[in-house]
Amino acid sequence: MRWLLMLLLVLLLGLQYRLWLGEGNLPAVWSLQEDIRAQKAVNAELEARNQALKAEVKDLKQGLSAMEERARSELGMIRRGETFFLLPDDERR
């Protein structure tokens, strides 16, 4: 009976060693799970960005209003017959 108890104790210690220090141990698994959570968050952000870009591409292909808005805001263009006013910022005064 005593040798059976010793055998079980040795097996328990061997399994505990593999669990905490061996290949594929618990701390490594926890670290990988955290990496997966972080990557899923990054993927969600990129997916939202992709959806916004898809919507913008669709809008640019279908309508002229998006193109006109982009020309006005990014290139500073105006329509024929419009008057352009440049107002100085308060910070430059």
Side-chain angles (χ1 to χ4, degrees):
M1 185 72 177
R2 195 157 183 74
W3 64 272
L4 182 61
L5 185 59
M6 291 301 285
L7 178 65
L8 289 176
L9 183 63
V10 168
L11 285 174
L12 178 66
L13 291 175
L15 290 174
Q16 286 295 313
Y17 173 80
R18 286 194 63 196
L19 180 67
W20 295 103
L21 303 173
E23 185 179 337
N25 57 28
L26 280 179
V29 170
W30 294 333
S31 175
L32 288 174
Q33 287 174 343
E34 184 60 35
D35 291 345
I36 289 170
R37 262 188 240 105
Q39 189 61 48
K40 283 183 179 181
V42 169
N43 288 352
E45 290 175 16
L46 292 174
E47 184 64 32
R49 180 175 163 237
N50 285 347
Q51 291 300 324
L53 289 173
K54 283 180 186 178
E56 186 176 352
V57 166
K58 181 181 175 186
D59 194 27
L60 287 172
K61 283 183 179 180
Q62 290 180 352
L64 295 177
S65 62
M67 219 179 306
E68 180 181 342
E69 178 185 338
R70 186 167 260 200
R72 287 174 180 270
S73 65
E74 294 180 9
L75 302 175
M77 299 179 121
I78 59 172
R79 277 190 178 168
R80 196 170 296 158
E82 289 182 339
T83 305
F84 178 72
F85 293 98
L86 178 64
L87 302 175
D89 293 336
D90 291 336
E91 297 173 2
R92 288 196 246 169
R93 288 184 186 175

